[in-house]
Amino acid sequence: MPHVLLIEDDASVRDGMELVLRRHAYGVDTAGTGEEALALLAGGAGRRVELAVLDLMLPGIDGFEVCRRLRASGSTIPVIMLTARGDDLDVVRGLEAGADDYVVKPVTAPVLEARIRAALRRCTAPAPAPGPYEDHAGLGIDRAGLTVTRTGTRVALPPTELRLLLELSASPGRVFTREQLLESVWDHNYLGDSRLVDAAVGRLRAKIEDVPARPRYVQTVRGFGYRFGPL
C-alpha cells in the first residue's frame, strides 16, 4: 500500500483529501505546517512515506522552503505541489525548488489520484534500453542499478530527473520535443505543460553539469527541445 504525506494547512481540505486517498487504498500521514511535515519526515514517518502532496501556501515555513529542504537533505521522494491558483511565478518557483508536478486547487479526486499514480509509476518503471552501464565522458549511468555518477561520485536524482536523464541518454544526439518528454517521462496520458520539462532539465543540469549555464550533457536545441551530448 503506497504511503503519502499530505501537507495542507486548511483542515477541511486536508480531511477531504485524506478521505479520498484512503478510499483509494493509500496510507496517509498528514501535517498542517511545514515544520510539522519536516519533523515527520525526519522521524519514523520518513521511512514509510513514498510521496508528498505539498500545499505551497503554508503558515511559517512555506511549501517552497519545505521542498528545498527536502531536496537539500538528499530526499528523492516525489513531490506534488498544490497551488491555489495557476500563477506562473508560483508554479515555476515550486518546480525550481524541486517539485515533480503540480495541481491547481480546487483539485478533483480523480485528478489528484491520477497524478499520484503517475508519480509513483515513475519511481518503479524500468529504465529504457540500452544498458546496463554507460560512461559518457565522466557521467556514468547504470541502467540496471538505476544509479548515476559524476566523475565517480554518486549523484542522487529524484525519480523524475532520473527518468528524464535515462530517456535522453538512451538516444544520444536525438532531439526530443518537450511534448515527447512529457509523454514518455511524466505519463503517456499526461495533460501537462512544458514548464515541467524545463524545470526538471534545470534541476538535472545543476547536478550533473560542470557549468549548468554551458551544459555538455543535456543540451537545448532552440525552437525544438533537448538532446543528450556529451559535447
Side-chain angles (χ1 to χ4, degrees):
M1 179 174 65
H3 209 96
V4 173
L5 174 60
L6 175 59
I7 311 161
E8 165 64 62
D9 65 311
D10 186 316
S12 61
V13 173
R14 186 173 65 244
D15 291 346
M17 294 174 70
E18 180 180 5
L19 181 61
V20 166
L21 293 175
R22 291 193 182 280
R23 283 178 174 171
H24 283 86
Y26 291 96
V28 183
D29 280 307
T30 63
T33 67
E35 291 88 344
E36 185 183 355
L38 291 170
L40 281 169
L41 288 168
R47 292 189 291 273
R48 62 176 178 267
V49 169
E50 298 170 64
L51 178 143
V53 178
L54 172 65
D55 185 26
L56 292 181
M57 298 297 108
L58 297 171
I61 298 175
D62 64 19
F64 302 107
E65 183 62 20
V66 170
C67 199
R68 280 191 288 267
R69 292 191 188 187
L70 270 180
R71 296 308 184 219
S73 73
S75 173
T76 60
I77 65 170
V79 174
I80 299 175
M81 60 182 180
L82 300 172
T83 176
R85 58 191 186 279
D87 184 274
D88 283 354
L89 181 58
D90 277 357
V91 170
V92 171
R93 284 182 64 203
L95 293 172
E96 288 178 346
D100 299 273
D101 198 355
Y102 74 95
V103 291
V104 177
K105 294 192 296 186
V107 58
T108 64
V111 168
L112 178 62
E113 206 274 326
R115 297 292 178 88
I116 290 173
R117 276 191 286 109
L120 291 173
R121 279 199 299 272
R122 291 197 292 275
C123 296
T124 57
Y133 180 83
E134 303 155 16
D135 188 311
H136 299 277
L139 182 69
I141 300 175
D142 182 349
R143 294 182 181 275
L146 297 180
T147 59
V148 176
T149 56
R150 181 76 179 96
T151 59
T153 301
R154 177 82 174 267
V155 180
L157 296 176
T160 298
E161 293 165 38
L162 177 59
R163 282 192 55 81
L164 177 62
L165 178 60
L166 292 171
E167 183 71 18
L168 289 167
S169 63
S171 303
R174 174 186 169 186
V175 177
F176 291 83
T177 67
R178 290 170 174 82
E179 291 75 19
Q180 288 171 325
L181 292 171
L182 277 170
E183 182 177 335
S184 58
V185 174
W186 275 260
D187 188 273
H188 65 90
N189 290 320
Y190 189 79
L191 299 176
D193 62 55
S194 62
R195 291 175 297 188
L196 294 171
V197 179
D198 294 339
V201 166
R203 298 193 307 265
L204 179 60
R205 283 173 171 167
K207 295 168 185 171
I208 67 171
E209 303 283 0
D210 291 331
V211 183
R214 297 196 299 275
R216 296 181 61 205
Y217 300 108
V218 181
Q219 304 154 20
T220 300
V221 181
R222 195 170 300 279
F224 292 93
Y226 298 101
R227 70 180 170 204
F228 183 79
L231 291 177

